[in-house]
Amino acid sequence: MAIRELEESDYGKGFLGILSQLTTLGEVPEDVFVERFRELRGSPDYRVLVAEEPERGRVVGAATLFVERKFIHACGKVGHVEDVVVDVGCRGHGVGQRLVAALLEAAREAGCYKAILDCAEQNQGFYEKCGMVRKEVQMVKYFDR
Amino acid sequence: MAIRELEESDYGKGFLGILSQLTTLGEVPEDVFVERFRELRGSPDYRVLVAEEPERGRVVGAATLFVERKFIHACGKVGHVEDVVVDVGCRGHGVGQRLVAALLEAAREAGCYKAILDCAEQNQGFYEKCGMVRKEVQMVKYFDR
């Protein structure tokens, strides 16, 4: 399994199908994907990683880091890990842990003083295996569109 | 009490002192503050609001929004509310609620499908008064520097 940066051609390798296993994907035509891809690729604050099964040339996992710039902690940075997902047929083989480990390392290299993520309570154990500890609670407000 | 965008001159109006009531501030000389201020002001994805007591010309509260760009939810956006703090001498008068309400509205206007934040369990009630509900758990990894 190869862990690498998201590429524009991953639109045709099942990247969005993997994300749809995480939550609502909605309509993402290729031009909309490409526009967002280039926004994120052009920012120093986003890293999108995928796991690719080289034999099949298919994306089987994904995870995103973005780096928030703060005033606190001496104008420090915090890494936010987002949208971690592994194909249901590939779980239990450490792919998710490798993705998270790669993003935590990327956050450390970016100079973040910490990395955080929000997850369902049932996934706490997985993130503990990734070396993280539970701290706060997440509050949410959904907007009607 | 006026709720407004952070300005460069707020360095001299107690902005950092307010943040130091939230967590570790560390050393933030004026040139470092100005550099970070201009980074955030130049980004369409950050909004830093302050509450100012006009009579004294002092910052007595602050809160930050940044907007994360995603692939999920039709390449949607999520608003992250960060670093909400009100001066200990000014609490209980709705300043925090006004700051949070302004940022939630900014997130909605930016096209976010939701806004989220992480808080200590003891602050859950405050954010419920702001119209938010508890959802997930936060996991954290601190880095040695």
Side-chain angles (χ1 to χ4, degrees), chain A residues 25 36 66 70 74 118 133, chain B residues 25 36 66 70 74 118 133 140:
Chain A
L25 180 63
R36 177 57 37 95
F66 68 85
K70 287 185 174 286
D118 294 328
V133 296
Chain B
L25 179 63
R36 175 58 35 96
F66 68 85
K70 288 184 173 285
D118 295 327
V133 296
V140 63

Side-chain angles (χ1 to χ4, degrees), chain A residues 30-43:
Chain A
E30 187 160 6
D31 60 329
V32 175
F33 166 81
V34 168
E35 184 181 358
R36 177 57 37 95
F37 171 84
R38 292 179 182 174
E39 277 178 3
L40 302 191
R41 174 58 62 92
S43 165

